[in-house]
């Protein structure tokens, strides 16, 4: 899939994560802001990268502002932002779930 526009999913409320995804030329870069980055940063980035990979995204810039989200929330927000960025919201990627 190709990212066509910048998209956002999620909120800055407690137990949520706000993801902004935009196009990149190569690779996936993640800018993670989280109060628990030292402890859970690798896990959060891993969930984002795995979900992007499962959706066929090879190049993207991701800004993630975490407020204590669980893995399932991180995955859901990643899927939502990718579908918005690729303009495929009418064709959910059920196999990724």
């Amino acid at each position: 899939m190709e990212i066509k526009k910048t998209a956002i999913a999620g909120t800055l409320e407690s137990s949520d994560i706000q993801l902004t995804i935009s196009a990149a030329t190569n690779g996936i870069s993640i800018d993670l802001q989280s109060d628990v980055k030292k402890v859970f940063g690798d896990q959060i980035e891993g969930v984002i990268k795995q979900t992007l990979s499962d959706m066929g995204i090879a190049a993207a810039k991701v800004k993630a502002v975490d407020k204590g989200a669980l893995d399932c929330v991180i995955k859901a927000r990643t899927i939502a932002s990718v579908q918005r960025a690729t303009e495929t919201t009418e064709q959910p990627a059920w196999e990724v779930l």
Side-chain angles (χ1 to χ4, degrees):
M1 270 195 250
E2 180 184 335
I3 295 175
K4 298 178 181 178
K5 64 181 183 178
T6 299
I8 298 174
T11 69
L12 297 175
E13 298 294 321
S14 180
S15 301
D16 203 352
I17 187 169
Q18 186 177 68
L19 283 171
T20 305
I21 189 167
S22 56
T25 53
N26 73 29
I28 294 181
S29 65
I30 300 175
D31 174 19
L32 175 62
Q33 298 173 9
S34 175
D35 291 339
V36 295
K37 184 175 181 177
K38 287 184 181 180
V39 178
F40 297 109
D42 290 341
Q43 176 66 20
I44 295 168
E45 290 183 13
V47 171
I48 294 169
K49 286 179 182 178
Q50 183 61 52
T51 306
L52 291 174
S53 174
D54 291 347
M55 295 189 78
I57 302 295
K61 285 189 264 184
V62 179
K63 179 179 179 187
V65 182
D66 174 58
K67 298 294 182 178
L70 298 173
D71 286 359
C72 57
V73 174
I74 297 166
K75 186 172 185 176
R77 298 304 190 195
T78 305
I79 292 170
S81 65
V82 167
Q83 288 187 316
R84 290 173 183 168
T86 59
E87 299 178 340
T88 58
T89 54
E90 300 297 320
Q91 307 151 7
W94 297 114
E95 65 278 359
V96 176
L97 297 174

